[in-house]
Amino acid sequence: MTKQQKIMIADPDNSAAQLTIFYLTQALYETTVVSDAAFVSSECLTFQPDLVLLEAVFPNQEKFQACKELRAQSEVPVILLSSAYEVADRVHGLDLGADDYLAKPYDARELLSRIRAVLRRYHPAEPAPAKEPETGDYVKYPDLTVSLTNYSVIYRGQTIDLPPKELELLYFLASSPNQVFSREQLLDRLWGFDYMGDTRTVDVHIKRLREKFKANKYWAIKTVWGVGYKFEVKV
């Protein structure tokens, strides 16, 4: 279940704050209100909000001090709620570390849109786990799945982009665990018997694979000195 995000409202006007709470509660945010600018910083430490709405009707120095203290103690995003004509206040608030401002009077839809936009910047969605193949030509080991059907590699739950020849080499080795292949055998199988390059091509591709797939306790691409390479599965 997704964790409910928390928003702190710093507003000395209780009626206005209650209206904002209504909008936020409808959007499933958890809220709290601070009516005294002097307690904004301490309440932030207690409530641990994901975002702060700082009302600009606080006296100038109070609201700016609150914004400054918030930014000094944490990276919590701040949206300054300001009357449209208070350009100097908005600029000063942004300079002190506010992340956005919203001119008053504002529409509830715009308020929620601004909140979501700022929260996305601070809390980007985690990438969805890569989907494991269910059919086709693929090999699977702990932390690693290589599919030759759709040329995909999943490593520790995330998709890894590989050039075709690197993927084919990894798939070929992993398809025959613990079997040793010479450089010549790998060249013939993957590059073709009429390939005119030298065997160091294999070494280069192995090196690149090892850079992308670090030491693993279950398997490794091993060098068999004087012979070639193998995909070693550890017991």
Side-chain angles (χ1 to χ4, degrees):
M1 182 179 294
T2 304
K3 174 179 174 290
Q4 187 178 26
Q5 292 179 301
K6 301 192 292 185
I7 297 179
M8 187 172 81
I9 305 159
D11 192 339
D13 184 340
N14 185 63
S15 297
Q18 292 305 313
L19 183 59
T20 304
I21 287 174
F22 174 77
Y23 296 146
L24 297 178
T25 302
Q26 290 291 102
L28 303 180
Y29 292 108
E30 181 181 349
T31 63
T32 191
V33 177
V34 182
S35 57
D36 189 332
F39 296 106
V40 169
S41 183
S42 59
E43 181 61 22
C44 185
L45 289 173
T46 302
F47 185 60
Q48 293 290 305
D50 294 286
L51 182 143
V52 174
L53 295 176
L54 180 60
E55 175 56 62
V57 297
F58 282 120
N60 278 349
Q61 294 309 311
E62 288 186 15
K63 65 172 173 278
F64 292 144
Q65 183 63 26
C67 187
K68 187 176 180 180
E69 289 178 359
L70 280 173
R71 187 51 67 239
Q73 76 178 22
S74 78
E75 291 298 316
V76 62
V78 177
I79 296 179
L80 188 65
L81 303 179
S82 171
S83 297
Y85 56 85
E86 296 174 328
V87 176
D89 279 4
R90 296 201 304 268
V91 171
H92 192 36
L94 292 170
D95 286 344
L96 287 174
D99 297 272
D100 198 0
Y101 74 86
L102 184 59
K104 297 170 60 180
Y106 52 78
D107 185 273
R109 293 168 298 178
E110 183 178 6
L111 172 64
L112 294 172
S113 180
R114 295 289 186 103
I115 288 172
R116 288 192 294 267
V118 172
L119 287 173
R120 280 196 301 271
R121 294 200 295 269
Y122 275 78
H123 306 287
E126 294 184 2
K131 187 176 181 180
E132 295 279 358
E134 298 177 357
T135 60
D137 297 325
Y138 69 93
V139 291
K140 184 172 182 179
Y141 294 94
D143 293 338
L144 178 70
T145 303
V146 185
S147 171
L148 200 61
T149 301
N150 59 11
Y151 272 70
S152 67
V153 177
I154 299 173
Y155 180 57
R156 293 178 175 170
Q158 300 299 320
T159 299
I160 304 296
D161 293 324
L162 291 183
K165 272 294 179 280
E166 287 182 26
L167 186 145
E168 291 168 9
L169 177 58
L170 179 61
Y171 176 83
F172 181 75
L173 291 172
S175 297
S176 301
N178 299 319
Q179 182 175 342
V180 181
F181 295 94
S182 69
R183 293 170 177 82
E184 290 77 12
Q185 286 175 316
L186 294 172
L187 279 174
D188 288 347
R189 181 60 185 265
L190 300 173
W191 279 265
F193 68 91
D194 57 347
Y195 177 72
M196 301 300 293
D198 62 43
T199 58
R200 283 179 295 182
T201 298
V202 175
D203 298 336
V204 170
H205 281 71
I206 291 291
K207 180 176 182 292
R208 290 173 180 166
L209 286 173
R210 284 173 172 163
E211 288 171 350
K212 294 167 183 173
F213 303 97
K214 304 300 182 183
N216 190 287
K217 64 181 180 179
Y218 302 108
W219 48 264
I221 301 172
K222 300 289 287 187
T223 299
V224 180
W225 297 108
V227 184
Y229 300 100
K230 68 175 178 178
F231 187 88
E232 181 179 83
V233 177
K234 304 174 183 179
V235 178

